[in-house]
Amino acid sequence: QFTGVSDSTVTANAISQPLPTVGTVTPLIPELSPTQTIYDGVTSLQSLNVNEAWNYSQGAGVIIAVIDSGVDMTLPQFQNNLLDGWNFLNNTANFTDQYGHGTAIAGVISAIAPDVKIIPLKVLDANGNGSIQNVIEAIRYAADMGAKVINLSLGADMSTLSQDAIDQLHQAIIYASNKGAVVVVAAGNAGDDISKYYPASFNEVLA
């Protein structure tokens, strides 16, 4: 139960994905053959020579929670990466992505670190919106499931949140941090001052 977070505060527009708007996300995960990796198809990662990091680690033994719009479970590139996830929108284990952004984020993560295990936690609907309460629950869930990295490529403008909601979100971040998780969050797409965005403005996150 999240007392103090009223229905008037927790609206579908409380979280915008990502900040402040999103455009199409499909080009991030191009059409691939079953034998191609996501790294093969994302030229921006190749231009950064991301594969050089593989000399140090490919993510074996690391669990990353992706709190987003879910993941497309049908892509063969994910078959060795996905762990059981959860859909906080309707409280089921079906985390099918109806928006595309979560699939893109999970795809980039698995391309950079092909041996990681990903827990897809769905909090955003087909329009890329969700409630702060579901985000709070997902952060705590991810920490309890042993995630060492919790990725939130989402955020909310502070003007849309009550102080109670901000405090509870902060407590969830602190909870995850105290359990050893690194919480990585979006800093927005517009180059704005992140002090007006949550959770990017919390000291405990990497934005």
Side-chain angles (χ1 to χ4, degrees):
Q1 296 296 317
F2 294 89
T3 58
V5 183
S6 66
D7 289 338
S8 61
T9 297
V10 185
T11 66
N13 294 319
I15 293 290
S16 60
Q17 170 58 56
L19 294 170
T21 56
V22 63
T24 178
V25 295
T26 304
L28 288 175
I29 304 296
E31 285 289 331
L32 300 171
S33 72
T35 59
Q36 282 184 297
T37 67
I38 293 174
Y39 183 83
D40 292 332
V42 182
T43 56
S44 58
L45 295 178
Q46 297 170 25
S47 66
L48 294 172
N49 298 318
V50 167
N51 60 330
E52 292 182 5
W54 298 344
N55 295 324
Y56 303 94
S57 175
Q58 295 191 35
V62 177
I63 296 175
I64 298 179
V66 176
I67 300 176
D68 210 289
S69 59
V71 172
D72 183 350
M73 298 175 285
T74 67
L75 291 178
Q77 287 76 17
F78 286 136
Q79 296 311 304
N80 295 323
N81 296 101
L82 295 184
L83 299 176
D84 292 339
W86 194 251
N87 183 336
F88 289 85
L89 298 176
N90 55 24
N91 291 317
T92 71
N94 182 0
F95 51 81
T96 300
D97 190 355
Q98 298 170 304
Y99 184 55
H101 192 269
T103 299
I105 296 300
V108 170
I109 290 171
S110 63
I112 294 172
D115 292 337
V116 300
K117 298 300 182 183
I118 294 172
I119 304 174
L121 301 177
K122 183 173 181 174
V123 298
L124 301 177
D125 62 20
N127 296 311
N129 296 320
S131 76
I132 194 68
Q133 180 172 347
N134 284 341
V135 172
I136 291 167
E137 291 184 14
I139 292 169
R140 290 181 174 273
Y141 181 95
D144 289 341
M145 293 297 290
K148 293 303 180 186
V149 178
I150 300 175
N151 186 91
L152 297 110
S153 293
L154 49 76
D157 190 298
M158 64 183 300
S159 65
T160 68
L161 301 176
S162 69
Q163 188 59 51
D164 285 335
I166 293 170
D167 291 344
Q168 290 189 47
L169 179 60
H170 195 192
Q171 287 304 310
I173 296 289
I174 292 172
Y175 178 81
S177 180
N178 287 342
K179 296 201 78 167
V182 176
V183 184
V184 182
V185 307
N189 294 336
D192 293 338
D193 181 358
I194 65 168
S195 65
K196 67 179 183 178
Y197 294 130
Y198 290 102
S201 61
F202 294 136
N203 291 333
E204 295 81 7
V205 304
L206 178 63

